Amino acid sequence: MKIAIGNDHAALELKKVIKAYVEDMGHEVIDFGTHTADSCDYPVYGEKVARAVAGGECDLGILICGTGIGISLAANKVKGIRAAVCSESYSARLTRAHNNANIIAFGARVIGEDTAKDIVNAFINTPFEGGRHQRRIDMITEIENKG
Ligand code: RB5
């Protein structure tokens, strides 16, 4: 798969770890930055990753900021994006299986490296179940289309 990744300054080091982890799984990772520890604005990177996923350039996305919240809020403003903040792998698995989330977000100031890896592993390797869950996602899309 082609995986988009993005982060702010709070998550630079965890991004490097997760990028290498996903590449070791055999996926291609497109890194949208930020690439330095200089203070930056998380909406920039949330939007870049969201547009890459929504536009089909990437299959799934990973976003990391201090909490995972701000960057996911920005991503969720892009049409077609379902970005979920998770702090454990059970939710990461279920948000793929039930919500067909296309971006996972988490906080570098909230969880450690091993938990982040568990989350990413669950997210990437769980398929969407479809069925009744598709109807509910269609309902979310209808809300989005109302503007
Ligand atoms: C940056 O200090 C911090 O606000 C950001 O990383 C994130 O946690 C926002 O939601």
Side-chain angles (χ1 to χ4, degrees):
M1 273 195 277
K2 211 165 171 177
I3 310 287
I5 197 164
N7 59 284
D8 74 357
H9 54 283
L12 182 67
E13 295 310 315
L14 184 57
K15 187 274 297 286
K16 290 178 189 169
V17 170
I18 294 302
K19 183 178 174 183
Y21 179 68
V22 174
E23 285 172 341
D24 285 349
M25 279 184 199
H27 300 291
E28 183 183 352
V29 179
I30 312 292
D31 186 348
F32 288 89
T34 185
H35 302 290
T36 75
D38 296 339
S39 183
C40 65
D41 299 324
Y42 56 79
V44 171
Y45 306 97
E47 182 180 5
K48 282 177 194 258
V49 166
R51 296 221 180 270
V53 173
E57 181 191 342
C58 293
D59 301 296
L60 294 172
I62 300 170
L63 287 172
I64 324 172
C65 65
T67 59
I69 297 171
I71 205 161
S72 69
L73 291 175
N76 276 318
K77 295 299 179 191
V78 174
K79 200 170 164 61
I81 289 302
R82 290 175 300 281
V85 185
C86 293
S87 294
E88 33 69 34
S89 59
Y90 176 80
S91 299
R93 183 160 57 80
L94 269 289
T95 202
R96 280 291 303 134
H98 290 189
N99 313 130
N100 200 11
N102 46 19
I103 293 180
I104 194 81
F106 44 87
R109 293 173 178 162
V110 179
I111 60 171
E113 284 182 13
D114 287 350
T115 301
K117 287 178 183 174
D118 281 349
I119 287 168
V120 166
N121 185 48
F123 182 69
I124 289 178
N125 292 308
T126 302
F128 175 49
E129 284 178 12
R132 70 188 188 282
H133 302 298
Q134 183 58 55
R135 178 170 50 84
R136 293 163 184 159
I137 289 161
D138 291 343
M139 291 170 75
I140 294 173
T141 304
E142 279 175 31
I143 296 168
E144 185 177 64
N145 288 340
K146 285 181 196 165

